[in-house]
Amino acid sequence: GDSVTQMEGPVTLSEEAFLTINCTYTATGYPSLFWYVQYPGEGLQLLLKATKADDKGSNKGFEATYRKETTSFHLEKGSVQVSDSAVYFCALINNDMRFGAGTRLTVKP
Amino acid sequence: DGGITQSPKYLFRKEGQNVTLSCEQNLNHDAMYWYRQDPGQGLRLIYYSQIVNDFQKGDIAEGYSVSREKKESFPLTVTSAQKNPTAFYLCASSIGLYETSTDTQYFGPGTRLTVL
């Protein structure tokens, strides 16, 4: 079945550092891809999405490009802030919805 | 404001007791979902409902039950048959089942269930 694999955390960065969280997927056909963010004690919020190959999703300085040739959807941000500290989930929708295990990011001042 | 509410935020249960978690949405969404979140395991689907009076088992339905008598409400009952119920439970909704053309799934704030 379909699956999502994302880099294990936790990831700890200093403020203004560059962020990459890797995400790869296995799926038949053409899934839609998503990044969700979960702040402490809260539910998930959609961060960005891409619904076809080569699409780039972006929001709040975060970006991810749907790469079908490498089955990847890596999350990047050029300069992280303390307020970006959260757990990030990569996900796909194909016949159903699958989530990665989540990557915890901590940004230190 | 439209959104999803879950109550209570924290819930404690003794072993052998059934407990019901509430989920209400005022987004006029047809589809609703229940997920279980455990550390390091991401989200796993318990049950989902595409429309009122219909629901389907997800990947880990054993020990759980749901109902969908109203469009706005999708309560989850954790029964005594669930062997390891301590977890964070998330409810979500979307316009249609596995919708991708809009903002996909909206999530509630979650209920943390602890079995004592």
Side-chain angles (χ1 to χ4, degrees):
Chain A
D2 297 348
S3 65
V4 176
T5 302
Q6 59 182 107
M7 66 185 286
E8 292 186 18
V11 174
T12 302
L13 296 173
S14 298
E15 209 166 22
E16 299 184 3
F18 185 85
L19 169 71
T20 299
I21 300 178
N22 290 338
C23 171
T24 58
Y25 68 89
T26 301
T28 57
Y30 301 92
S32 295
L33 303 174
F34 308 86
W35 277 100
Y36 281 83
V37 59
Q38 184 180 33
Y39 298 103
E42 298 183 8
L44 276 66
Q45 302 173 26
L46 179 65
L47 182 59
L48 53 84
K49 70 176 184 179
T51 57
K52 61 182 187 294
D54 300 326
D55 269 2
K56 177 185 283 188
S58 61
N59 186 25
K60 300 180 181 179
F62 291 90
E63 293 183 339
T65 300
Y66 187 164
R67 302 286 189 198
K68 188 161 180 64
E69 63 275 15
T70 55
T71 62
S72 65
F73 193 54
H74 305 322
L75 182 67
E76 296 182 337
K77 186 175 185 182
S79 176
V80 294
Q81 305 300 312
V82 172
S83 57
D84 293 327
S85 298
V87 180
Y88 293 82
F89 292 91
C90 186
L92 68 80
I93 289 180
N94 201 4
N95 296 312
D96 57 16
M97 190 163 194
R98 298 290 165 179
F99 290 85
T103 302
R104 182 177 299 277
L105 170 66
T106 301
V107 180
K108 297 187 173 181
Chain B
D1 287 338
I4 301 178
T5 57
Q6 292 185 241
S7 61
K9 189 168 181 65
Y10 299 96
L11 189 58
F12 297 90
R13 185 195 96 176
K14 292 181 180 180
E15 279 194 40
Q17 289 181 337
N18 293 353
V19 63
T20 298
L21 282 59
S22 168
C23 177
E24 304 278 334
Q25 54 97 0
N26 61 3
L27 299 165
N28 200 34
H29 285 173
D30 283 315
M32 297 187 74
Y33 315 78
W34 272 106
Y35 293 94
R36 171 179 171 140
Q37 184 178 13
D38 295 284
Q41 293 193 47
L43 277 67
R44 293 183 289 170
L45 182 66
I46 305 173
Y47 268 96
Y48 66 95
S49 169
Q50 189 170 359
I51 200 167
V52 175
N53 292 322
D54 178 72
F55 50 82
Q56 304 295 329
K57 293 181 179 180
D59 298 323
I60 57 164
E62 185 175 351
Y64 301 96
S65 65
V66 294
S67 63
R68 187 83 188 278
E69 297 175 2
K70 298 187 300 183
K71 188 175 187 177
E72 304 79 19
S73 179
F74 191 41
L76 173 74
T77 297
V78 184
T79 75
S80 56
Q82 170 49 235
K83 298 304 179 188
N84 185 22
T86 294
F88 190 53
Y89 291 87
L90 287 163
C91 180
S93 72
S94 58
I95 290 177
L97 188 65
Y98 299 124
E99 174 67 35
T100 61
S101 63
T102 61
D103 283 349
T104 65
Q105 295 188 15
Y106 287 78
F107 283 80
T111 293
R112 185 165 298 280
L113 172 64
T114 302
V115 174
L116 304 173

